[in-house]
Amino acid sequence: MINKKRLVNTFKDLVKIDSISRDEKKVADYIIKKLKKLKLKYKIDNSNKKTGSNTGNIIVYKNYNSKQGVYLLSSHMDTVVPGINIKPITKKKYITSAGNTILGADDKSGLAIIIELLETLVEKKIPHLNIEVAITTCEEIGLLGAKFLDYKLLKSKSGIVLDSTSPDRLVIKGPSSDYFSIEVNGIEAHSGINPEKGISSIKVAAEIINKINIGRLSKGTTLNIGKIDGGSAINIVPGKTTILSEIRSHDESKIKKILDKIKKDILKIEHKYKKTNKKFSIKFKKNRIYDSINISKNEQVVKRILKASKKINYLTSTVETGGGADANFFVKNGIKTVNLGTGMREFHTINEKLILDEFFTSAEIIYNFFTDV
Ligand SMILES: [Zn+2]
């Protein structure tokens, strides 16, 4: 059994420490202080050189010479904005912010559960699975901490990320995600004196956008045109316009098919305008953000979590998500990782909440998981 009061206090301590992405050092210091007190072995990797954060990821080791193997447990330290000077307000059933900031339950609820697990295990000296903890930076800005983590520091072949809504959900499947940009290089001209010499990149961008389907394209596939940037002044036929988009799918072949069609449409449009002016061009660029995850229900880590949940008469079910998390990079690096909810709701908004019952349940499940030897 975990200490609920201590768990809540740790959570409140954590959210009161500002840690917008790339500025996680103060939270890292708080955690390291706890680790030193518990006499646990830890390392800090050099990912900050690539992520631009003021700290690396923290890796913690808690061994018990278990023959059942070693499992990874992970949460991220950074939060989104507005996340400065957060004041947690405790209501009967949940904790929320004062209303002018997020709460930061995403993902400090996960961090608090990890710290509580370590404190309980050190205190009780009971047998447990070997544990590796990865406390990451920069999750909210493209999973950068997990992307650039020093995987040589980890031996785990499977693991759990605590970074989702309710503990009745265990995410085992998530989409791949690609970022793509379309840069329309039109021809600038004076809008009043010789507009016929120009090709408006904004107008061509509209033509391209018209050809792209957005929103939910099928069950596991979504596309979003998220940002458009173009033109320089109202009296100039716009020279350059850029469209920024993302596509996600559980099915790699669908991403390819949809992007191929977009590229084909772009080529046609480019060809049409090139006839008027050879300098006209459209550039398409694509980048992988993260790869999909698809963990089998038969994996030990999945079975063990469902068992740990059943032990407290709670029902956790496996689900798919449309989102990405550090788990995507752990999977890419050979660690079969699932994502368990911690009780957070409406995260990334000023209405963010942490449902206390679910928070305790999630912590109990994690405790049961690691003490089932
Ligand atoms: Zn998160």
Side-chain angles (χ1 to χ4, degrees):
M1 284 287 276
I2 50 119
N3 181 336
K4 290 179 185 174
K5 201 176 157 198
R6 183 172 61 191
L7 174 64
V8 168
N9 285 337
T10 304
F11 173 72
K12 287 197 213 158
D13 281 353
L14 284 166
V15 299
K16 283 188 219 158
I17 308 169
D18 298 341
S19 63
I20 304 299
S21 305
R22 292 202 171 98
D23 188 21
E24 299 94 341
K25 176 94 170 47
K26 278 188 259 127
V27 167
D29 288 346
Y30 173 91
I31 293 167
I32 289 164
K33 211 173 142 191
K34 291 250 179 205
L35 298 174
K36 281 185 175 159
K37 221 171 148 188
L38 295 170
K39 298 192 170 70
L40 290 173
K41 199 180 139 198
Y42 69 90
K43 281 179 183 161
I44 299 167
D45 73 7
N46 290 321
S47 58
N48 51 315
K49 284 182 188 153
K50 285 178 178 159
T51 60
S53 168
N54 54 3
T55 176
N57 300 302
I58 308 172
I59 313 292
V60 191
Y61 304 92
K62 175 96 178 75
N63 264 321
Y64 201 92
N65 294 322
S66 165
K67 290 188 180 74
Q68 314 272 352
V70 50
Y71 285 87
L72 177 73
L73 187 59
S74 177
S75 290
H76 62 89
M77 291 185 270
D78 62 318
T79 67
V80 293
V81 289
I84 300 291
N85 206 4
I86 295 172
K87 287 189 181 63
I89 309 283
T90 311
K91 303 272 182 175
K92 210 172 161 198
K93 293 191 167 163
Y94 60 88
I95 300 175
T96 189
S97 72
N100 55 340
T101 64
I102 54 149
L103 174 63
D106 174 11
D107 193 16
K108 285 167 176 169
S109 54
L111 288 181
I113 290 173
I114 292 174
I115 293 169
E116 180 56 35
L117 172 76
L118 296 174
E119 285 187 317
T120 308
L121 292 178
V122 168
E123 198 177 72
K124 295 193 173 169
K125 298 188 178 76
I126 42 172
H128 59 81
L129 301 173
N130 297 331
I131 310 171
E132 286 177 339
V133 175
I135 297 170
T136 63
T137 63
C138 302
E139 193 270 353
E140 302 288 3
I141 50 171
L143 320 175
L144 294 183
K147 184 176 182 177
F148 296 116
L149 192 138
D150 183 354
Y151 285 91
K152 288 194 297 294
L153 299 177
L154 298 176
K155 284 198 188 89
S156 300
K157 291 284 167 251
S158 45
I160 309 163
V161 160
L162 295 170
D163 193 11
S164 181
T165 55
S166 165
D168 66 7
R169 288 163 52 90
L170 181 68
V171 176
I172 58 168
K173 209 174 162 194
S176 302
S177 176
D178 274 347
Y179 154 94
F180 65 96
S181 69
I182 303 165
E183 184 187 297
V184 183
N185 295 296
I187 308 295
E188 279 194 354
H190 192 290
S191 63
I193 298 167
N194 49 11
E196 32 302 276
K197 286 201 170 159
I199 300 176
S200 164
S201 60
I202 290 179
K203 184 85 176 151
V204 177
E207 211 175 316
I208 295 168
I209 289 168
N210 242 328
K211 293 255 177 209
I212 302 175
N213 292 322
I214 61 158
R216 186 169 301 282
L217 304 183
S218 60
K219 195 175 162 250
T221 308
T222 57
L223 189 150
N224 185 46
I225 297 173
K227 200 164 181 277
I228 179 158
D229 206 359
S232 49
I234 55 162
N235 59 353
I236 302 171
V237 175
K240 184 166 147 184
T241 298
T242 312
I243 306 161
L244 303 177
S245 316
E246 62 141 42
I247 181 166
R248 302 180 186 207
S249 183
H250 291 278
D251 180 349
E252 211 59 63
S253 70
K254 280 193 180 149
I255 293 187
K256 189 177 181 308
K257 209 173 141 194
I258 292 160
L259 293 185
D260 280 351
K261 176 171 182 299
I262 292 172
K263 280 190 261 179
K264 223 170 133 187
D265 288 338
I266 288 174
L267 270 177
K268 266 190 216 160
I269 294 170
E270 186 184 41
H271 187 72
K272 184 171 86 185
Y273 287 99
K274 254 194 156 53
K275 281 183 198 161
T276 0
N277 190 323
K278 270 189 185 153
K279 282 185 185 152
F280 178 89
S281 73
I282 307 175
K283 283 186 191 121
F284 178 93
K285 255 193 241 157
K286 187 200 87 164
N287 261 312
R288 178 49 50 114
I289 306 177
Y290 50 78
D291 290 323
S292 64
I293 58 171
N294 192 357
I295 310 291
S296 157
K297 285 182 186 173
N298 294 320
E299 282 296 334
Q300 276 300 319
V301 63
V302 177
K303 285 187 180 169
R304 279 178 161 275
I305 290 176
L306 302 190
K307 188 180 163 201
S309 160
K310 214 170 162 186
K311 200 176 167 190
I312 47 166
N313 293 316
Y314 188 78
L315 181 68
T316 299
S317 311
T318 53
V319 296
E320 336 187 324
T321 175
D326 283 345
N328 292 67
F329 275 103
F330 296 147
V331 169
K332 192 177 179 174
N333 286 279
I335 307 168
K336 293 188 173 113
T337 311
V338 292
N339 189 348
L340 182 72
T342 62
M344 61 171 96
R345 288 291 191 289
E346 295 181 68
F347 46 99
H348 295 198
T349 79
I350 56 170
N351 301 316
E352 186 180 1
K353 290 176 186 64
L354 180 66
I355 315 285
L356 287 168
D357 268 353
E358 293 188 0
F359 184 40
F360 300 146
T361 298
S362 184
E364 291 290 352
I365 293 173
I366 290 302
Y367 176 78
N368 288 343
F369 177 95
F370 281 100
T371 51
D372 179 15
V373 288

